[in-house]
């Protein structure tokens, strides 16, 4: 891609040259014919290789080796001899180039101008521009092009062209500008002037000697010639061929060079040794000082060596450029591949309905949750949800923040905002249910019925805290479940025994990793209604927190005055818990924190006497156990005497849990006997129930009964 870019920019530049140069050349009377067979060979099917092997093409020097009548410093006899045979891009004009011993100096900001090369220069000095135009009119189409020196001490590789450009325009002429121009420059033919753009064609090397005029700067010049050399010298030849082969390599790998070569070889003249060196240096991207070095070098062998260095460097740069381009192309194509595969994956997931992680799918999932009941959502919650949904769209799906926001939205949208189960305020129905589940407990039942009656009259029920206290196994938990059934509320139970972490009740802040809301929010999500019955077990065994007091947090949760706006740390939006009915259980009320106890309505369940236990065993426990064991009523008969013996001698605690365990044990044994009997199909050798009981309670035959007793008393 980089390659493509650079070549396209370059081609843009070339287009300008192509379109302007021929006209300019026509204006100033330049030759229109192509002087070099080089182009033909470049365009021929054999390409550059053919061209470079035709050594006859590089036989003479056209511009600099033309001897002449002027003050030539060096003259090559060999070059002079070859001059007649050579062809040149420069058409001799009147006066001849070599006749120009005083020229207007044109400062070049970026690069020196090489003979045979063409360069547009933007001139801002109006005096200089009008003087050049005036000269052109008088058929003096030559000027001296000299490279502008950088500020002493500046590194040319670090200074950009524009900065130098600004500098150069500050000089209007005079000695200062004279000193800031390199001594050696190029005699340049002005091919055209368009606006303040002057198009120059390099002709031959010059050295400025003295200033003649200040504005515009006009200088006296010497025309330079190459130091004579032996064309057949092996070392020079070898260097020359090395330059050719290196050039061939560059042309092969760089399309930019190919285009350059095609364009400039038209105007360069024959490829003599010196010209080839100029050609290589001019096409290279080397910095201006290195190019100036080549321009200043009159020893052809040295010039060839300098050029060779520049082109070799060019090859290296080209290789690096290619590797960069390749790496970027690979990266881009890799990314495109990933993108395509991802899109395909999304489409497949969508088809299969598995689209879970996609942002839009997530948003629509959340919207599906809230849209049907938007009117029931509190305004402040809706606002937060909308904000979070907007945030979700902006976040990167792989970021941790995204996951936090997604989980948060999941919780926010999953809560039963404004969803209430239809409460049953029918007192008769409630009484029936309560009696169905529990024997006795008239105080508790009475209180529940009162609660229902108030709800019936008001049409709505307000959350209350009922605390059932009593020894283990007296039915505190099961009555809670029964109340929920009677009221047609969802039931949720959690124990706070030993709870010391406030976060269990109020949740963690979202900033923590793995943060979760508190128990009550979890409860609301799991039951799906905003008015469940929440049974808080073991409230008398609440732990003491090291950071924060769980009792205070619980108070905030339970207190009907406060819990209308309960604030969970995770959710960070107030929730209305006033419709929740809280039932707490405790073994003793002394250890319940006072502020909590104050707000509770304590109903004590003292325990059952033997008679009550008989009823509970006969009407509830036996029935439920028999059903649980899959035994039909006609298959077994439990006598009152047996039950009484069990209660009086083996289940003397206040509650009935131990009694329930014993009954379950007896029924399990009966179930085994029944199954054995059915399998063997033998005449019944089953023991009577009394025999069974005796076996159960005989300490020598059954140790586990005692174990059961001991564990239950706690
Ligand atoms: P607690 O919570 O007080 O420790 P549970 O509620 O767990 O006691 O009760 C233990 C068992 O005793 C339960 O199966 C329950 O059904 C039963 N039970 C307790 N009291 C009664 C009662 N009055 N009528 C019927 N069953 C009862």
């Amino acid at each position: 891609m980089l390659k493509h870019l650079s070549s396209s920019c370059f081609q843009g530049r070339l287009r300008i040259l192509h379109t302007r140069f021929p006209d300019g050349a026509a204006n100033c009377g330049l030759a229109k014919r192509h002087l070099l067979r080089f182009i033909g060979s470049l365009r021929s099917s054999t390409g550059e290789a053919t061209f470079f092997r035709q050594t006859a093409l590089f036989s003479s020097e056209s511009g600099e080796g033309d001897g002449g009548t002027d003050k030539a410093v060096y003259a090559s006899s060999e070059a002079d001899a070859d001059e007649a045979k050579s062809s040149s891009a420069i058409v001799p004009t009147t006066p001849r180039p070599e006749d120009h011993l005083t020229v207007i100096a044109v400062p070049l900001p970026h690069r020196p101008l090489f003979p045979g090369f063409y360069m547009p220069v933007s001139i801002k000095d109006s005096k200089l521009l009008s003087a050049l135009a005036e000269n052109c009119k008088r058929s003096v189409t030559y000027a001296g092009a000299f490279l502008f020196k950088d500020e002493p001490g500046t590194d040319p590789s670090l200074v950009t062209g524009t900065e130098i450009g600004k500098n150069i325009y500050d000089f209007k002429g005079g000695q200062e500008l004279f000193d800031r121009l390199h001594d050696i420059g190029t005699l340049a033919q002005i091919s055209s002037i368009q606006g303040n753009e002057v198009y120059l064609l390099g002709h031959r090397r010059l050295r400025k000697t003295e200033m003649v005029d200040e504005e515009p700067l006009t200088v006296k010049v010497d025309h330079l010639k190459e130091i004579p050399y032996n064309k057949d010298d092996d070392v020079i030849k070898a260097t020359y061929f090395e330059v050719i082969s290196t050039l061939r390599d560059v042309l092969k790998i760089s399309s930019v060079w190919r285009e350059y070569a095609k364009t400039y070889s038209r105007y360069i003249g024959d490829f003599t040794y010196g010209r080839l060196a100029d050609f290589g240096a001019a096409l290279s991207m080397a910095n201006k000082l290195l190019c100036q070095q080549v321009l200043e070098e009159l020893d052809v062998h040295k010039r060839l060596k300098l050029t060779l260095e520049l082109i070799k460097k060019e090859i290296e740069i080209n290789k690096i450029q290619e590797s960069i381009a390749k790496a970027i192309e690979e990266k881009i194509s890799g990314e495109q591949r990933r993108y395509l595969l991802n899109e395909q994956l999304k489409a497949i997931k969508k088809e299969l309905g598995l689209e879970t992680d996609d942002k839009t799918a997530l948003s629509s999932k959340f919207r599906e949750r809230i849209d049907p009941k938007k009117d029931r959502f509190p305004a402040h919650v809706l606002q937060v949800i909308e904000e979070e949904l907007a945030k979700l769209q902006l976040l990167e799906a792989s970021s941790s923040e995204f996951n936090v926001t997604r989980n948060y939205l999941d919780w926010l949208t999953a809560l039963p905002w404004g969803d209430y189960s239809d409460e049953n305020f029918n007192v008769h129905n409630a009484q029936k249910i309560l009696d169905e589940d529990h024997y006795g407990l008239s105080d508790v039942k009475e209180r529940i019925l009162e609660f229902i009656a108030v709800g019936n009259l008001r049409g709505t029920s307000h959350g209350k805290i009922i605390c059932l206290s009593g020894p283990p196994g007296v039915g505190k938990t099961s009555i809670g479940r029964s109340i929920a059934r009677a009221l047609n509320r969802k039931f949720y139970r959690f124990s706070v025994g030993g709870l010391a972490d406030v976060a269990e009740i109020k949740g963690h802040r979202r900033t923590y990793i793995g943060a979760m809301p508190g128990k009550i929010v979890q409860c609301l999500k799991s039951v799906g209604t905003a008015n469940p019955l929440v049974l808080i077990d073991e409230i008398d065994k609440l732990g003491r927190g090291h950071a924060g007091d769980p009792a205070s947090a619980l108070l905030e949760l339970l207190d009907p005055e406060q819990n209308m706006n309960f604030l969970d740390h995770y959710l960070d939006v107030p929730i209305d818990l006033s419709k929740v009915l809280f039932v707490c259980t405790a073994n003793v009320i002394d250890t319940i924190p006072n502020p909590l106890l104050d707000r509770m309505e304590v109903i004590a369940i003292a325990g059952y006497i033997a008679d009550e236990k008989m009823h509970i065993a006969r009407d509830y426990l036996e029935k439920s156990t028999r059903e649980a064991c899959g035994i039909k009523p006609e298959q077994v008969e439990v006598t009152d005497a047996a039950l009484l013996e069990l209660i009086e001698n083996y289940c003397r605690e206040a509650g009935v849990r131990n009694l329930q365990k014993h009954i379950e044990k007896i029924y399990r044994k009966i179930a085994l006997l029944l199954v054995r009997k059915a399998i063997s199909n033998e005449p019944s050798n089953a023991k009577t129930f009394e025999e069974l009981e005796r076996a159960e309670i005989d300490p020598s035959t059954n140790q586990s009964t005692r174990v059961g007793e001991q564990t239950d008393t706690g």
Side-chain angles (χ1 to χ4, degrees):
M1 202 169 119
L2 276 182
K3 232 163 76 182
H4 178 73
L5 267 180
S6 64
S7 75
S8 65
C9 293
F10 173 73
Q11 278 163 5
R13 268 168 54 199
L14 277 182
R15 220 170 291 127
I16 296 170
L17 297 179
H18 275 307
T19 50
R20 289 179 179 172
F21 181 73
D23 297 343
N27 291 342
C28 288
L30 271 181
K32 284 180 185 168
R33 63 194 172 97
H34 296 169
L35 298 175
L36 289 176
R37 277 161 283 169
F38 174 75
I39 303 154
S41 64
L42 260 184
R43 287 173 180 168
S44 74
S45 55
T46 45
E48 298 98 14
T50 321
F51 156 64
F52 285 119
R53 275 192 208 104
Q54 293 167 349
T55 49
L57 284 174
F58 316 103
S59 58
S60 72
E61 175 155 306
S62 60
E64 293 170 5
D66 55 358
T69 53
D70 54 328
K71 285 162 70 185
V73 178
Y74 305 107
S76 153
S77 56
E78 248 179 296
D80 285 345
D82 287 338
E83 188 189 348
K85 290 183 270 171
S86 73
S87 54
S88 170
I90 316 296
V91 173
T93 52
T94 314
R96 292 177 306 157
E98 54 268 34
D99 295 339
H100 292 83
L101 300 178
T102 305
V103 288
I104 295 176
V106 177
L108 303 176
H110 307 301
R111 290 171 76 81
L113 177 63
F114 281 93
F117 272 79
Y118 174 76
M119 180 188 274
V121 185
S122 166
I123 294 179
K124 299 223 169 130
D125 181 357
S126 56
K127 272 193 186 164
L128 174 60
L129 197 61
S130 56
L132 289 174
E134 191 61 35
N135 272 2
C136 252
K137 268 185 211 160
R138 289 191 285 119
S139 300
V140 185
T141 54
Y142 286 96
F146 297 92
L147 182 66
F148 185 76
K149 285 184 205 164
D150 288 327
E151 199 80 52
T154 47
D155 180 354
S157 59
L158 297 178
V159 181
T160 65
T162 25
E163 280 165 9
I164 296 166
K166 273 177 203 161
N167 256 342
I168 196 170
Y169 303 129
D170 297 339
F171 296 90
K172 297 289 178 211
Q175 189 62 42
E176 217 185 340
L177 180 61
F178 183 85
D179 293 342
R180 285 294 293 274
L181 295 180
H182 282 273
D183 284 344
I184 293 182
T186 321
L187 181 73
Q189 192 164 11
I190 302 165
S191 66
S192 77
I193 301 176
Q194 290 171 15
N196 60 356
E197 293 270 291
V198 176
Y199 295 87
L200 302 175
L201 181 65
H203 191 74
R204 52 170 51 206
R205 285 169 163 81
L206 295 174
R207 172 180 282 126
K208 66 177 171 44
T209 50
E210 61 181 276
M211 188 173 71
V212 177
D213 204 349
E214 290 207 347
E215 278 186 57
L217 179 67
T218 311
V219 290
K220 272 194 174 172
V221 290
D222 289 343
H223 289 245
L224 303 181
K225 289 202 170 182
E226 288 165 356
I227 299 170
Y229 62 93
N230 180 5
K231 266 197 309 189
D232 296 326
D233 183 283
D234 288 345
V235 180
I236 296 187
K237 249 187 190 170
T239 320
Y240 170 73
F241 284 119
E242 181 56 24
V243 173
I244 289 176
S245 88
T246 318
L247 269 172
R248 206 165 54 202
D249 290 346
V250 187
L251 286 171
K252 254 188 233 163
I253 56 172
S254 166
S255 57
V256 179
W257 271 70
R258 272 200 296 278
E259 289 291 335
Y260 245 132
K262 269 187 197 170
T263 311
Y264 286 103
S265 56
R266 300 163 124 195
Y267 311 109
I268 200 166
D270 275 357
F271 276 82
T272 59
Y273 286 7
R275 267 295 152 83
L276 185 74
D278 288 349
F279 180 74
L283 294 195
S284 76
M285 307 286 172
N287 79 45
K288 60 183 187 179
L289 287 185
L290 292 175
C291 291
Q292 178 68 23
Q293 253 183 344
V294 176
L295 185 75
E296 289 181 5
E297 190 53 69
L298 297 177
D299 182 327
V300 171
H301 181 225
K302 281 187 188 162
R303 196 192 294 169
L304 278 170
K305 281 206 294 190
L306 282 173
T307 300
L308 192 59
E309 253 177 57
L310 297 185
I311 316 172
K312 292 261 181 207
K313 213 183 251 178
E314 204 72 17
I315 289 183
E316 286 310 307
I317 291 173
N318 243 294
K319 279 183 189 162
I320 297 171
Q321 180 197 343
E322 268 189 1
S323 68
I324 292 172
K326 206 172 155 196
I328 289 182
E329 258 169 37
E330 267 170 19
K331 194 181 163 205
I332 289 172
S333 61
E335 272 170 15
Q336 274 173 347
R337 222 174 97 83
R338 263 178 79 96
Y339 174 77
L340 273 174
L341 287 174
N342 261 329
E343 286 300 305
Q344 281 176 359
L345 190 70
K346 268 187 212 165
I348 293 168
K349 276 186 173 177
K350 207 171 187 178
E351 278 293 308
L352 296 174
L354 298 172
E355 202 176 20
T356 47
D357 281 342
D358 185 49
K359 278 186 201 175
T360 43
L362 266 179
S363 300
S364 53
K365 181 179 114 184
F366 293 137
R367 290 216 177 273
E368 266 168 36
R369 280 188 195 170
I370 56 173
D371 280 348
K373 42 185 185 175
K374 221 169 186 171
D375 46 331
R376 276 177 276 162
F377 269 62
H380 64 275
V381 177
L382 262 185
Q383 193 190 342
V384 174
I385 291 176
E386 289 297 340
E387 279 168 13
E388 291 296 314
L389 278 173
K391 192 168 132 193
L392 194 73
Q393 293 302 323
L394 299 176
L395 289 171
E396 188 59 47
S398 54
S399 68
S400 59
E401 179 97 350
F402 181 84
N403 273 336
V404 172
T405 312
R406 186 181 59 185
N407 288 343
Y408 181 49
L409 271 169
D410 195 26
W411 276 102
L412 267 186
T413 51
L415 286 183
W417 301 102
D419 275 351
Y420 299 100
S421 57
D422 290 335
E423 271 194 282
N424 187 350
F425 293 124
N426 187 331
V427 181
H428 294 296
N429 184 49
Q431 180 139 31
K432 204 174 125 232
I433 290 172
L434 291 173
D435 288 342
E436 238 172 56
D437 293 347
H438 292 89
Y439 171 82
L441 298 177
S442 48
D443 286 356
V444 187
K445 289 178 182 170
E446 189 76 7
R447 177 66 193 89
I448 303 304
L449 292 176
E450 283 167 19
F451 177 81
I452 293 171
V454 172
N456 193 340
L457 292 180
R458 285 186 57 185
T460 168
S461 68
H462 236 285
K464 283 274 175 248
I465 321 173
I466 297 167
C467 179
L468 303 171
S469 82
V474 292
K476 300 183 294 294
T477 311
S478 64
I479 195 107
R481 191 172 272 115
S482 189
I483 298 168
R485 198 158 81 90
L487 290 170
N488 190 30
R489 286 182 184 229
K490 290 279 172 59
F491 178 77
Y492 187 85
R493 169 186 174 273
F494 73 90
S495 174
V496 292
L499 184 141
D501 189 358
V502 176
E504 285 280 326
I505 297 165
K506 294 207 64 174
H508 306 97
R509 298 201 185 276
R510 274 203 307 287
T511 42
Y512 297 127
I513 294 170
M516 285 276 284
K519 268 278 182 305
I520 191 68
V521 175
Q522 293 177 31
C523 149
L524 292 181
K525 187 183 174 188
S526 99
V527 298
T529 57
N531 62 340
L533 184 145
V534 179
L535 187 97
I536 301 174
D537 240 347
E538 321 273 17
I539 198 157
D540 54 333
K541 298 179 189 71
L542 195 64
R544 284 187 193 283
H546 47 273
D549 180 16
S552 314
L554 209 54
L555 185 67
E556 190 188 336
L557 174 73
L558 296 176
D559 188 0
E561 304 296 320
Q562 296 182 46
N563 68 10
M564 280 174 79
N565 290 311
F566 175 75
L567 194 69
D568 182 277
H569 287 150
Y570 182 86
L571 279 196
D572 215 18
V573 287
I575 325 171
D576 180 10
L577 297 178
S578 60
K579 298 283 190 307
V580 179
L581 180 62
F582 289 102
V583 176
C584 306
T585 71
N587 290 131
V588 282
I589 56 166
D590 312 346
T591 49
I592 300 177
N594 264 338
L596 271 177
L597 193 60
D598 274 357
R599 289 166 174 81
M600 289 174 178
E601 217 178 300
V602 181
I603 303 172
I605 308 174
Y608 302 109
I609 54 169
D611 185 41
E612 286 172 323
K613 282 185 185 172
M614 272 294 283
H615 278 103
I616 293 171
R618 177 66 76 199
D619 301 336
Y620 298 87
L621 303 181
E622 202 202 332
K623 224 160 104 185
S624 62
T625 313
R626 194 169 54 219
E627 277 165 18
C629 292
I631 299 169
K632 294 183 187 108
E634 61 274 11
Q635 285 178 302
V636 65
E637 194 201 334
V638 182
T639 62
D640 285 349
L643 267 185
L644 195 65
E645 181 144 340
L646 197 61
I647 290 164
E648 283 187 340
N649 296 323
Y650 296 94
C651 304
R652 296 172 69 170
E653 76 288 337
V656 291
R657 192 175 284 131
N658 196 28
L659 179 62
Q660 185 183 18
K661 274 186 188 170
H662 278 89
I663 293 174
E664 278 169 6
K665 204 170 199 174
I666 292 163
Y667 270 87
R668 277 202 307 274
K669 292 205 177 288
I670 293 170
L672 182 62
L673 284 174
L674 287 172
V675 172
R676 273 193 181 144
K677 189 179 145 196
I679 291 172
S680 62
N681 209 12
E682 285 172 6
S684 170
N685 57 356
K687 296 171 186 169
T688 61
F689 190 71
E690 284 76 9
E691 283 171 334
L692 263 173
E693 274 190 324
R694 258 198 302 284
E696 275 302 313
I697 57 184
D698 183 357
S700 61
T701 56
N702 200 329
Q703 283 293 320
S704 63
T705 312
R706 287 184 186 280
V707 174
E709 269 181 49
Q710 281 161 4
T711 49
D712 201 43
T713 49

